[in-house]
Amino acid sequence: MSKLKALLFDVDGTLADTEADGHRVAFNKAFVEAGLDWDWTEALYGELLAVTGGKERIKYYVNDFLDNFTPKNDLTEFAAKLHKRKTDFYLEMLQQGEIPLRAGVERLLREARDAGFRMGIATTTTPANVTYLLTSTLGKESIDWFEVIAAGDIVPAKKPAPDIFQYAMKEMGITAEETLAFEDSANGFLSSTGAGLKTMVTVNRYTKDDNFDDACIVLDQMGSENNTFKVLDGDSKGHQFVNMEMLKDIFASC
Ligand code: XBP
Ligand code: MG
């Protein structure tokens, strides 16, 4: 059995709880600015999360949720333009420090780095969203903790396709046998496991009822010594918050 050497992290929902209070809010700001009367409520946004990628999500909304909307120009072009403004608003929110990392994430990243584990990012979101999140929460130097930031349109097929995880592994020169993935959603889980990766899941409000069959473990959060996680599925091997010892233990038995 191979030893755990590398960690591949999803971003949205995993490193930070970005969707309801981050991306959703930024989409709505872009809609107001564009003079659209669209309002993506928390409940509606939960449905829209079925499709990953912001541009793709806008197109999905127009095609499947609206009856009488035809953009002046081509829908792909329209969605791209609107999404660009959404990204500007989202980056502003990150810069203002409005989006924190989830509990236990900073500690785990620092422990992994100190212990010499190789780290990468595999996400559907726009690349700048990742670098701004890391910079605003962990400082500029944290960008260098990750050997690859695989993000956005770098692969044409977004999650649930396995491409983004495969891309990240290829860039890092690592194999699935020595790598653990971190995900929060069914789409992300399908992507990581589709790439052959053992995967640990921390759910959030939108993904707590998703299907994570065969995950190494499903938790409500990474947690910390005085804020321990709840195990939703699997065996935490006696651990009560996620640390490197736990990751090695669950990787070995997953
Ligand atoms: C994240 C996404 C993204 C974000 C919005 O999925 O699907 O689309 O919701 O970001 P994952 P963009 O956590 O699986 O990577 O608007 O930049 O696409
Ligand atoms: Mg995610």
Side-chain angles (χ1 to χ4, degrees):
M1 197 204 332
S2 300
K3 236 174 97 180
L4 177 62
K5 291 192 189 134
L7 311 176
L8 282 180
F9 294 93
D10 167 52
V11 175
D12 294 301
T14 301
L15 296 187
D17 200 355
T18 53
E19 296 291 9
D21 305 327
H23 291 296
R24 184 184 69 88
V25 174
F27 278 112
N28 282 331
K29 286 183 183 176
F31 302 156
V32 170
E33 187 190 65
L36 297 161
D37 65 352
W38 305 351
D39 177 20
W40 286 5
T41 60
E42 271 196 51
L44 170 61
Y45 195 68
E47 292 183 55
L48 297 171
L49 282 172
V51 169
T52 63
K55 295 187 285 292
E56 294 80 356
R57 192 166 299 141
I58 292 169
K59 290 207 258 180
Y60 174 52
Y61 177 65
V62 169
N63 288 329
D64 289 44
F65 290 74
L66 299 182
D67 287 329
N68 287 311
F69 179 81
T70 321
K72 279 194 211 94
N73 44 7
D74 161 75
L75 178 57
T76 300
E77 223 176 281
F78 167 83
K81 222 168 134 197
L82 194 54
H83 183 257
K84 195 170 172 306
R85 290 299 293 147
K86 176 262 165 179
T87 299
D88 293 340
F89 286 120
Y90 184 69
L91 294 179
E92 241 170 63
M93 293 173 76
L94 287 170
Q95 246 168 348
Q96 305 291 327
E98 289 176 32
I99 304 174
L101 295 177
R102 291 189 69 183
V105 167
E106 172 167 1
R107 177 189 47 74
L108 182 68
L109 293 176
R110 289 187 186 279
E111 280 178 20
R113 188 168 153 268
D114 291 347
F117 282 81
R118 300 179 63 187
M119 297 197 284
I121 298 275
T123 175
T124 294
T125 205
T126 305
N129 295 350
V130 184
T131 48
Y132 274 58
L133 175 70
L134 294 175
T135 305
S136 68
T137 54
L138 299 168
K140 257 203 169 82
E141 66 285 358
S142 62
I143 309 288
D144 299 331
W145 300 358
F146 300 91
E147 291 177 44
V148 63
I149 294 181
D153 298 324
I154 201 150
V155 292
K158 294 187 174 166
K159 299 175 188 178
D163 304 38
I164 196 73
F165 279 100
Q166 287 164 341
Y167 175 89
M169 284 194 281
K170 191 158 172 242
E171 287 292 302
M172 288 173 69
I174 54 176
T175 65
E177 286 66 43
E178 58 196 8
T179 306
L180 181 65
F182 296 78
E183 270 294 349
D184 72 300
S185 69
N187 278 328
F189 184 69
L190 284 169
S191 175
S192 60
T193 52
L197 286 155
K198 294 181 181 181
T199 303
M200 190 197 112
V201 176
T202 42
V203 299
N204 59 63
R205 71 186 104 168
Y206 282 128
T207 65
K208 58 184 174 25
D209 299 319
D210 284 5
N211 185 3
F212 300 112
D213 279 353
D214 297 328
C216 296
I217 194 159
V218 183
L219 305 169
D220 68 334
Q221 60 165 342
M222 305 278 188
S224 59
E225 205 157 359
N226 45 24
N227 176 22
T228 56
F229 55 54
K230 275 194 198 69
V231 179
L232 305 177
D233 193 20
D235 179 355
S236 71
K237 306 281 169 195
H239 297 278
Q240 294 186 306
F241 61 97
V242 180
N243 58 17
M244 290 316 302
E245 288 316 306
M246 169 171 165
L247 294 187
K248 285 186 239 168
D249 286 348
I250 63 161
F251 185 80
S253 63
C254 182

